[in-house]
Amino acid sequence: MKLTDTAHMYNVQQKILVAVDCIIFGFDTQNLKLLLFKRKVDPFKGDWSLIGAFVKGNLSINDAAKQILFETTGLKDIYLDELKTYSDYNRDPGDRVISIAHYSLISINDFDIEKVEEFDAKWFNLDEIPDLVLDHNQMVKDAVNRLRKKVKHQPIGFNLLPEYFTLPKLQRLYESIYQRELDSRNFRKKILSQNILIKTDKKDKSESKKGAFLYCFDKDKFDILKTKGYNFDI
Amino acid sequence: MKLTDTAHMYNVQQKILVAVDCIIFGFDTQNLKLLLFKRKVDPFKGDWSLIGAFVKGNLSINDAAKQILFETTGLKDIYLDELKTYSDYNRDPGDRVISIAHYSLISINDFDIEKVEEFDAKWFNLDEIPDLVLDHNQMVKDAVNRLRKKVKHQPIGFNLLPEYFTLPKLQRLYESIYQRELDSRNFRKKILSQNILIKTDKKDKSESKKGAFLYCFDKDKFDILKTKGYNFDI
DNA sequence: ACAAAAGTGTTTGATCTACACCCATGG
DNA sequence: CCATGGGTGTAGATCAAACACTTTTGT
């Protein structure tokens, strides 16, 4: 029986459960982290898991992902990107389910801590991810790789920082994504040459006595780069 | 009603039709082309369309895509990559359908012409794509953009050429993907410096009196680059 | 002998890398 | 006054871009 033979018969086709799982990255000024949840139900009740839900109603997949994020973190309008589809026939023993994984980048201070606690959620360092249900460890691995690649070509890293931030913090963010140290002189040269940062005259003295200047994005130039892509091959 | 509330009840969830649509790229020694099909059924019977099918049985999405390609072109083991999911609620007036688009690269001389004709299929130049059903024009646009990006960082372009090929042909392939002319001296320097080509002592004289040397891939080095990624920023 | 495509190197500017010291401040 | 992290510049290497002529051979 060919797949393409019956392409015309909508009504004799199999319908399938469609889920969205979210890999939520955050940054706590030192480390890139991942938000994980205690699974509430069988199978695998109580195990650590990505947050996810079945797609229903008239939501697009992307809208479903946005809504999951809102329900779990209270955040709207955050960076969210489709990762890939996970569809092995037996990936979920509960039923045949395909899952379209999404990853998102949030500023770790912004989210609604009460909502997160309500969900039995916890932030994990990337090198301390526990065993997760189903194929969620693979999703995480894929998401980390995707993030590392993407951050080289598009200025999405900023989504992990609050509105105002210092260059040393931005550097630590990139270091925690790339998992290696960067030379601060080269880093500053490179990032400043992109012309997407606006220096303020305020300083953040929480990390040093001298204090570091706070910067914010030049939203307009940032948007241009976001669509065009760039090379930030640190 | 929250999405995340009912995450635990497999049996009360909506099941959805899941399709795969394939953007099939080919190269005919001059131009990058796309394989399009006459839709066989309502709605939109007779219109041009990507080839697709509903996912069923115990196939993963990727296996379904592979099988569609085999059924339409007779080709196995060809380059195939997930593009993205299309899931607007009303994208298909026949029913709610989400489609996971895949793109693939095939050597235009390899495929089974009888199979393709059996399917009422035709190769189109990229600048002559007709109106397609549903959101298939958007899929094509997204696939072309993805291909342009991907070909800069991974040596996937070779999948569009036969086993033995000349450097001028390879250059024309890249030119047709990038849609701009390349300097042949710089092109040869760059591509040869990757050390993934093996020069044979045979010449292809079909395009010139002098003839151009035939090359093939160094499969081993090629595979290493394929996973590592590289920069082919022409 | 000539038309048509294949093949080949060099120079210039831009970019990346490696590297070490002074500054400002709170305690 | 000193410990801590913030901030700055330069020289050498590597890489990308621009550019034009010679070679081969079928007709």
Side-chain angles (χ1 to χ4, degrees), chain B residues 29 46 48-49 53 84 104 126 170-171 206 220 223 230:
Chain B
T29 76
W48 288 106
S49 162
K84 73 192 265 296
S104 66
L126 281 194
L170 184 59
Q171 182 176 341
S206 65
D220 299 335
D223 284 341
Y230 72 152

Side-chain angles (χ1 to χ4, degrees), chain B residues 59-233:
Chain B
L59 293 179
S60 72
I61 305 285
N62 195 267
D63 288 339
K66 277 184 199 157
Q67 186 160 342
I68 292 168
L69 280 164
F70 179 67
E71 290 176 13
T72 51
T73 65
L75 296 177
K76 276 186 183 175
D77 296 322
I78 67 179
Y79 184 86
L80 180 73
D81 207 8
E82 180 176 332
L83 177 60
K84 73 192 265 296
T85 303
Y86 294 80
S87 60
D88 279 358
Y89 186 66
N90 292 313
R91 60 177 289 279
D92 188 331
D95 196 347
R96 155 80 133 157
V97 181
I98 71 163
S99 174
I100 294 128
H102 286 64
Y103 66 101
S104 66
L105 309 181
I106 77 180
S107 171
I108 216 162
N109 304 308
D110 284 357
F111 69 91
D112 182 337
I113 215 166
E114 284 182 21
K115 288 207 180 194
V116 168
E117 281 172 355
E118 187 184 303
F119 275 91
D120 263 329
K122 206 184 135 190
W123 289 99
F124 286 82
N125 275 332
L126 281 194
D127 53 2
E128 294 164 355
I129 307 290
D131 279 346
L132 305 176
V133 304
L134 310 181
D135 46 10
H136 288 195
N137 282 297
Q138 185 62 45
M139 290 180 181
V140 169
K141 214 170 133 188
D142 292 343
V144 171
N145 284 335
R146 177 76 69 87
L147 176 61
R148 286 202 181 124
K149 266 189 203 154
K150 186 123 183 172
V151 89
K152 286 195 178 182
H153 304 292
Q154 291 196 269
I156 59 170
F158 307 121
N159 291 292
L160 289 156
L161 293 172
E163 188 178 357
Y164 293 94
F165 53 89
T166 65
L167 290 188
K169 269 196 191 130
L170 184 59
Q171 182 176 341
R172 276 194 289 277
L173 167 61
Y174 274 89
E175 287 174 332
S176 76
I177 293 174
Y178 290 139
Q179 300 270 54
R180 66 186 177 86
E181 295 196 346
L182 302 173
D183 180 274
S184 67
R185 288 160 292 188
N186 292 336
F187 179 82
R188 296 168 90 95
K189 241 179 297 171
K190 182 110 194 190
I191 199 81
L192 290 173
S193 74
Q194 305 281 352
N195 277 325
I196 50 174
L197 297 186
I198 299 169
K199 190 176 183 173
T200 70
D201 55 359
K202 300 217 167 61
K203 280 193 165 188
D204 170 10
K205 293 203 174 182
S206 65
E207 310 262 323
S208 74
K209 310 181 169 167
K210 184 176 180 182
F213 282 105
L214 286 165
Y215 288 76
C216 67
F217 311 115
D218 188 329
K219 185 86 176 73
D220 299 335
K221 294 190 183 148
F222 181 68
D223 284 341
I224 295 167
L225 269 191
K226 214 179 342 194
T227 51
K228 271 202 316 195
Y230 72 152
N231 244 33
F232 195 66
D233 263 325

Side-chain angles (χ1 to χ4, degrees), chain A residues 3-4 6 8 10 13-14 16 39 41 54 56-59 61 71 82 85 87 89 92 96, chain B residues 2-4 6 8 10 13-14 16 39 41 54 56-59 61 71 82 85 87 89 92 96:
Chain A
L3 275 185
T4 41
T6 53
H8 49 297
Y10 283 85
Q13 301 300 335
Q14 272 181 31
I16 297 177
R39 183 156 157 130
V41 276
F54 291 108
K56 59 192 174 185
N58 57 5
L59 294 179
I61 305 285
E71 290 176 12
E82 181 175 331
T85 303
S87 61
Y89 185 67
D92 188 332
R96 155 79 134 157
Chain B
K2 288 188 177 178
L3 276 183
T4 42
T6 55
H8 49 297
Y10 282 84
Q13 300 301 334
Q14 271 180 33
I16 298 176
R39 181 153 158 133
V41 277
F54 291 107
K56 60 191 174 186
N58 57 6
L59 293 179
I61 305 285
E71 290 176 13
E82 180 176 332
T85 303
S87 60
Y89 186 66
D92 188 331
R96 155 80 133 157

Side-chain angles (χ1 to χ4, degrees), chain A residues 104-117:
Chain A
S104 66
L105 309 182
I106 77 180
S107 172
I108 216 161
N109 304 309
D110 283 358
F111 69 90
D112 183 336
I113 217 164
E114 284 182 20
K115 289 208 179 193
V116 168
E117 281 173 355

